Amino acid sequence: MIDIKNKVSIWLANFTTEEKLEEYLEFRYSELEDLPRSNFIDDFEIEYYDEDFQEAYCANNISSVKELLDPISYSESFIYKVGDTSDSQCNSVVAIYNYKYVNQKQGTDNIQFLGVFDYDS
């Protein structure tokens, strides 16, 4: 079993509004499926994660990666591990705590996987 304690998986994205980001992440429940789905889960071929450990937001404008990560929980413990990404053209971030994304899919047109980082709570 993969040890996921104190791991955070991060994605960077561009969404026109906070509502569009929320809609993208929103879990859908179906009688035909055992686990909830979302556009995000489908895009990244994720089986399941606990949405209680998800944090996401959409900034008002394009920001550097470090500016996007700064307000999220525990970022001070891993933000220094993020490489030079000053050319980023993103305005949104999705963080899933106690989850290690291991699939190979790196992104879509508007959302890219940044990486998995250790964090201190």
Side-chain angles (χ1 to χ4, degrees):
M1 178 161 177
I2 298 173
D3 183 18
I4 58 173
K5 185 170 170 54
N6 291 356
K7 300 277 187 203
V8 59
S9 297
I10 305 282
W11 286 261
L12 302 175
N14 279 306
F15 286 91
T16 53
T17 64
E18 184 82 28
E19 291 77 24
K20 293 285 186 190
L21 174 59
E22 290 173 7
E23 181 179 298
Y24 179 71
L25 297 171
E26 185 176 6
F27 277 20
R28 300 180 306 272
Y29 296 88
S30 166
E31 292 178 12
L32 302 176
E33 297 179 20
D34 293 334
L35 298 171
R37 306 304 303 158
S38 72
N39 291 338
F40 173 67
I41 286 173
D42 293 342
D43 282 350
F44 286 93
E45 301 168 359
I46 296 170
E47 185 175 332
Y48 175 76
Y49 67 89
D50 187 337
E51 68 182 314
D52 290 340
F53 294 105
Q54 174 185 284
E55 188 173 348
Y57 80 96
C58 180
N60 291 329
N61 49 29
I62 301 293
S63 299
S64 74
V65 173
K66 291 186 178 178
E67 289 172 327
L68 284 173
L69 295 178
D70 188 53
I72 67 170
S73 302
Y74 315 116
S75 66
E76 68 280 354
S77 69
F78 65 85
I79 199 167
Y80 68 92
K81 297 175 188 173
V82 177
D84 180 21
T85 51
S86 55
D87 62 341
S88 170
Q89 296 296 304
C90 300
N91 71 344
S92 304
V93 63
V94 176
I96 304 175
Y97 295 90
N98 298 331
Y99 179 78
K100 182 177 181 180
Y101 179 69
V102 294
N103 291 352
Q104 297 300 312
K105 185 143 186 200
Q106 293 299 303
T108 66
D109 288 343
N110 71 322
I111 185 165
Q112 298 294 316
F113 177 62
L114 179 63
V116 177
F117 302 93
D118 293 318
Y119 73 92
D120 297 323
S121 54

